[in-house]
Amino acid sequence: MQERPSSCELASFRPAHPAGEILPVCNKLVGMNSGTPFFERGVEPPVRGFIHQPDGEAQAGLVLTHGAGANCESKLLLALAEAFADAKFIVLRCDLPFRQARPHGPPSPGSAERDREGLKRGVEVLRKMTSGPIFLGGHSYGGRQASMLAAEEPGITEALMLLSYPLHPPRRAEQLRTAHWPRLSTPVMFVHGSRDPFATLEELKSALALLPGRHTLLEIDSVGHELLGRKANPNFGTEIVAAFTTFVDALQFGSAPL
């Protein structure tokens, strides 16, 4: 189901501010751990979204983006950004370029390359804000584009977190979206629901054999593509953070454990 933008109009992010400035706009969205609006116009494509600052010095960074029918204000991204910020990550929760161009609708067939460039710009933003490792995460389409960027440019990120990877379109299991996986050497953690129509857990586990790099799968029981079940799980974000930090700690990036 497509998630609608919040009542804070996207037009409030006007490109009339210095590059990289954290903007005092849309204040009703800025609260306890809800992030501060951010817009960097000095790059192409621009970076627009929200910065979640941890208490104290950040130990790592995470760029987090949305799926084809949503934007960076989705409940899923907000919950995860808050949880990761509480775990000493600085988080950039950002809109992909296709969503910056129009507030509704899916990406056009020709927008994928520009969306990957947008993710690359987001990683560059966070590398200026912390000396720790930078991770790249995305839901559905956003995760797919993150994985394609990492396959094209190894080293762009230290690890990926792919939420509800769209392995194939619903009811078309033969149309796999894994052509780039054999080139994906970046470590990956998948987070996947047991009721996801874009891939059963069994289909996803079978496809993981294509990956040459280290990977792990966090299974979420009784949820679909959006990962958020009908009954709220108060531990949802912290469980994903715990699984991801355990995974990346085992990779030994040469720094203190996260």
Side-chain angles (χ1 to χ4, degrees):
M1 180 180 296
Q2 178 174 321
E3 298 189 47
R4 301 176 63 182
S6 76
S7 57
C8 171
E9 292 295 328
L10 297 178
S12 64
F13 291 90
R14 291 183 293 271
H17 302 267
E21 185 176 356
I22 295 179
L23 308 181
V25 300
C26 193
N27 289 330
K28 63 185 175 181
L29 292 178
V30 180
M32 190 70 173
N33 273 342
S34 63
T36 302
F38 177 90
F39 186 86
E40 185 168 34
R41 65 186 178 95
V43 296
E44 178 58 33
V47 178
R48 186 186 75 188
F50 296 83
I51 293 288
H52 295 252
Q53 295 273 7
D55 290 334
E57 185 177 355
Q59 297 181 10
L62 173 66
V63 177
L64 197 56
T65 197
H66 55 86
N71 62 27
C72 74
E73 296 179 42
S74 72
K75 292 180 180 179
L76 173 64
L77 295 197
L78 180 57
L80 290 177
E82 291 177 348
F84 274 93
D86 288 344
K88 300 297 184 183
F89 286 72
I90 183 170
V91 181
L92 169 61
R93 174 169 54 94
C94 62
D95 280 329
L96 290 168
F98 87 87
R99 182 56 70 228
Q100 295 183 43
R102 55 195 179 104
H104 304 286
S108 64
S111 69
E113 183 176 357
R114 182 173 168 82
D115 290 336
R116 293 195 291 277
E117 283 296 313
L119 289 174
K120 184 177 179 180
R121 299 287 88 78
V123 170
E124 292 170 351
V125 163
L126 284 193
R127 291 211 184 274
K128 299 174 184 177
M129 296 184 177
T130 178
S131 59
I134 304 298
F135 306 110
L136 186 52
H139 179 238
S140 193
Y141 172 83
R144 183 186 178 197
Q145 296 309 315
S147 69
M148 294 177 72
L149 173 62
E152 293 167 355
E153 299 190 33
I156 186 71
T157 180
E158 281 80 355
L160 294 164
M161 182 177 66
L162 305 184
L163 310 163
S164 301
Y165 187 87
L167 189 67
H168 59 71
R171 298 179 298 279
R172 287 180 279 174
E174 73 284 357
Q175 297 182 20
L176 292 178
R177 294 160 170 165
T178 56
H180 63 290
W181 279 24
R183 306 190 307 276
L184 183 58
S185 58
T186 303
V188 187
M189 186 179 90
F190 292 84
V191 181
H192 209 78
S194 63
R195 297 179 179 175
D196 194 328
F198 288 81
T200 66
L201 287 171
E202 291 71 25
E203 289 171 337
L204 184 57
K205 289 176 183 177
S206 178
L208 294 182
L210 296 171
L211 293 171
R214 296 180 66 175
H215 53 272
T216 190
L217 169 62
L218 177 62
E219 302 177 16
I220 309 294
D221 188 46
S222 301
V223 299
H225 196 61
E226 297 306 316
L227 289 177
L228 298 175
R230 293 182 180 180
K231 185 176 180 180
N233 174 8
N235 300 318
F236 173 80
T238 56
E239 289 173 356
I240 292 178
V241 170
F244 188 71
T245 55
T246 298
F247 175 62
V248 299
D249 284 350
L251 300 173
Q252 299 180 342
F253 286 113
S255 58
L258 295 172

